[in-house]
Amino acid sequence: SIAQVAAEKSYFFRLPINILIRQTDSQPLVRMTAKEFMFGYESPLTTLGYHVLPNWISFEKVGLIDRMYDFEGDYETIFSGQGDPSMSGLYDTYKGSQNLPQWEGEHCSRVTGASDGTKFKSFMAPNETILFFRKSMCTVKRMVQQGGPTEVSGLTAQKFVFEENALDNGAVEEKNKCFCRQGKCLPAGLIDVTDCYYGFPIALSYPHFLDADPDITKNIVGLKPNRSEHESFFIIQPTSGLPLRCAMRFQINMALKDVSSMSHVEQFSHLTIPMLWFDITFNELPPALKNRFHLYLNVLPVLDHLLFYGSAIGGVLLLIFAVTKASVGMSTTITSARKISLQRSYDFRGTKMSVYAPCEQKCDLIPNDCHELTMPSDIAPSSVYDLEMEIPLSDTDDQELLQDERDSGHRTNCSNASEDCTITIPQEESKNFPKPLCHQNSNFALNNR
């Protein structure tokens, strides 16, 4: 890595580096344990660089994973979901910016809305594309849906994979040319992440150079790319954005250019050397988390619908009951108001009174006898009964009526109005005589003979 960085500098910069390499007998290939390779081993050149150039090399040991997961000085802002719950848990900015500084153009650098893999966008639409970003990848990649909905751990799920030509550098898709570093593009299948790793010539690819340019592999033996074993994917619950299963598989390579001017590494010029590939996988959620999301996503929505529709149906039934009860009550009130109360029977031989009731009912409206009509005054105008205002009859009126009857030749059996009497009307005159009124406590009667 140091040789590649120095090879791009001037002769006067390369000269002391070459002398140092020869004096320390630093070799390009060193036997070491997996732990040393992953988490750091001591190197004379690294130690010297740490003390001489601390602004460039800020570490004393070189370890691949140790450097990839160095988060010192990193900070992010994450959406809380306020205003848009679907964005909760996604990146807003990385190190204070919505774009990564290593790339030009939003297609390659835009980090806003991306996920780090712990939680993706919620309430996904069909065929929606999601963004994935990890510092170790040094770039944002798009993932697309593959296949239809499935079920994982009792939850609805959708599989996402990286889009086709995701590791292209403009050879296939023009828009991907922004992944070329300083105008120099690596072959398709490699992503140049040099600027994220201290200028070291690191390039990422899929394991065994899956989907890579065949020219990369012509000098390498033992490669067996297999999509089912080497493809990355996420299986996500689309409503919550929760990953239910995932496999992140990438390969770390040294993409060397012309290093023929550097000691001990001349034979590695223009080679892409695979270092290792990793598979970060989980197959299912822990039982406690799985049960919790089963409750959130399967049980509670059903209860919510049951309560909603149950409340709606209950409300409609209560409304129908209230309207029915009110209608029956109103009908009963109207029926009671119209019902004739047969309280007592009256004829024309009632008790003598000086003044009669002013409002009387005609006898011909009631088939048998004449009875008093009792009804509320507020519904009287709509009654089917014909009520009239009658002029009250006094004792004087009775005397005048009797005198008129005597003068007309009608026979009477009373001498004055204070007695009960009967007026006899001839048959031929009866049709011209008005039908009698039902006067309460009337003291005379008419005989139609």
Side-chain angles (χ1 to χ4, degrees):
S1 296
I2 294 177
Q4 177 65 73
V5 174
E8 298 175 352
K9 305 298 181 180
S10 66
Y11 171 79
F12 295 102
F13 184 90
R14 296 196 307 269
L15 180 60
I17 299 296
N18 281 326
I19 294 174
L20 185 61
I21 291 174
R22 296 189 189 99
Q23 291 295 324
T24 59
D25 195 25
S26 296
Q27 298 297 321
L29 300 178
V30 180
R31 183 180 294 274
M32 64 185 66
T33 66
K35 181 179 179 180
E36 289 174 330
F37 178 74
M38 300 289 284
F39 298 102
Y41 65 94
E42 292 183 356
S43 167
L45 287 179
T46 304
T47 302
L48 179 62
Y50 173 72
H51 291 288
V52 176
L53 301 170
N55 292 331
W56 175 33
I57 300 178
S58 58
F59 46 89
E60 294 188 73
K61 295 182 179 181
V62 177
L64 200 58
I65 299 300
D66 177 65
R67 292 298 90 207
M68 290 182 67
Y69 287 91
D70 176 25
F71 297 110
E72 184 177 356
D74 291 0
Y75 61 94
E76 304 90 7
T77 55
I78 304 297
F79 285 109
S80 65
Q82 184 177 4
D84 186 358
S86 67
M87 295 292 288
S88 64
L90 305 183
Y91 278 101
D92 179 21
T93 64
Y94 177 73
K95 290 187 176 181
S97 175
Q98 293 184 330
N99 298 287
L100 300 176
Q102 295 84 10
W103 314 107
E104 296 181 359
E106 288 193 357
H107 175 72
C108 295
S109 65
R110 189 73 168 180
V111 73
T112 301
S115 168
D116 64 355
T118 56
K119 190 267 178 189
F120 290 87
K121 185 178 180 181
S122 306
F123 311 110
M124 294 183 189
N127 300 320
E128 184 162 357
T129 299
I130 60 176
L131 300 177
F132 177 72
F133 168 72
R134 296 289 294 184
K135 176 189 174 180
S136 57
M137 291 177 57
C138 194
T139 183
V140 178
K141 290 301 178 185
R142 288 165 178 79
M143 304 189 78
V144 297
Q145 297 183 16
Q146 184 183 74
T150 59
E151 185 173 300
V152 175
S153 301
L155 300 172
T156 302
Q158 178 64 54
K159 185 177 181 180
F160 285 81
V161 298
F162 289 112
E163 65 179 349
E164 188 177 4
N165 301 317
L167 302 186
D168 171 54
N169 295 299
V172 180
E173 296 190 27
E174 185 71 19
K175 64 181 180 180
N176 290 335
K177 279 194 172 181
C178 53
F179 288 118
C180 297
R181 178 174 173 266
Q182 298 177 356
K184 299 178 181 179
C185 301
L186 293 179
L190 295 175
I191 288 293
D192 192 342
V193 294
T194 299
D195 290 335
C196 295
Y197 294 102
Y198 315 100
F200 296 163
I202 305 296
L204 297 180
S205 69
Y206 296 140
H208 288 248
F209 295 108
L210 177 69
D211 295 334
D213 189 327
D215 289 341
I216 299 175
T217 62
K218 64 183 181 181
N219 294 321
I220 303 172
V221 296
L223 298 177
K224 297 179 180 179
N226 185 311
R227 188 165 302 279
S228 62
E229 295 180 0
H230 302 144
E231 183 180 54
S232 298
F233 67 86
F234 276 96
I235 296 180
I236 303 170
Q237 206 289 322
T239 302
S240 63
L242 176 72
L244 305 177
R245 184 179 296 167
C246 83
M248 290 305 300
R249 298 158 175 163
F250 274 92
Q251 181 171 292
I252 301 173
N253 311 281
M254 299 287 289
L256 300 173
K257 299 180 179 63
D258 184 8
V259 291
S260 59
S261 60
M262 302 302 297
S263 299
H264 296 177
V265 294
E266 298 88 343
Q267 67 272 31
F268 295 104
S269 292
H270 304 292
L271 285 181
T272 299
I273 305 172
M275 307 293 289
L276 81 155
W277 71 273
F278 58 85
D279 182 357
I280 302 175
T281 302
F282 82 86
N283 291 319
E284 63 177 353
L285 296 173
L289 192 60
K290 179 169 59 177
N291 293 336
R292 184 183 305 172
F293 275 89
H294 178 74
L295 174 66
Y296 294 160
L297 300 172
N298 292 346
V299 178
L300 292 183
V302 174
L303 291 179
D304 179 65
H305 283 80
L306 289 177
L307 289 175
F308 174 79
Y309 289 111
S311 299
I313 293 172
V316 171
L317 292 177
L318 287 175
L319 181 61
I320 293 174
F321 174 77
V323 171
T324 302
K325 187 172 182 180
S327 300
V328 171
M330 185 178 296
S331 176
T332 302
T333 301
I334 294 174
T335 302
S336 299
R338 291 179 175 179
K339 183 178 179 181
I340 300 175
S341 177
L342 302 178
Q343 297 178 350
R344 55 185 299 186
S345 177
Y346 296 99
D347 59 11
F348 286 94
R349 299 179 59 85
T351 305
K352 177 182 177 181
M353 294 181 64
S354 60
V355 179
Y356 295 101
C359 193
E360 310 293 346
Q361 180 184 1
K362 290 186 177 182
C363 290
D364 60 339
L365 295 178
I366 302 177
N368 298 322
D369 206 347
C370 297
H371 304 283
E372 181 182 6
L373 174 64
T374 303
M375 66 177 65
S377 60
D378 57 333
I379 65 170
S382 63
S383 173
V384 298
Y385 300 103
D386 185 14
L387 302 180
E388 295 181 353
M389 296 297 296
E390 300 289 346
I391 300 175
L393 297 179
S394 63
D395 290 344
T396 304
D397 296 329
D398 289 345
Q399 292 286 355
E400 293 176 355
L401 178 60
L402 292 175
Q403 184 61 41
D404 291 340
E405 293 301 323
R406 291 191 185 98
D407 295 341
S408 64
H410 298 157
R411 292 185 291 107
T412 65
N413 63 353
C414 53
S415 59
N416 55 64
S418 62
E419 299 177 359
D420 293 339
C421 62
T422 301
I423 301 174
T424 303
I425 303 172
Q427 181 69 31
E428 61 274 10
E429 296 183 18
S430 63
K431 60 183 179 181
N432 298 323
F433 197 88
K435 292 186 178 181
L437 298 176
C438 297
H439 293 283
Q440 184 178 5
N441 297 328
S442 176
N443 63 345
F444 66 92
L446 300 178
N447 287 334
N448 185 6
R449 295 180 181 176

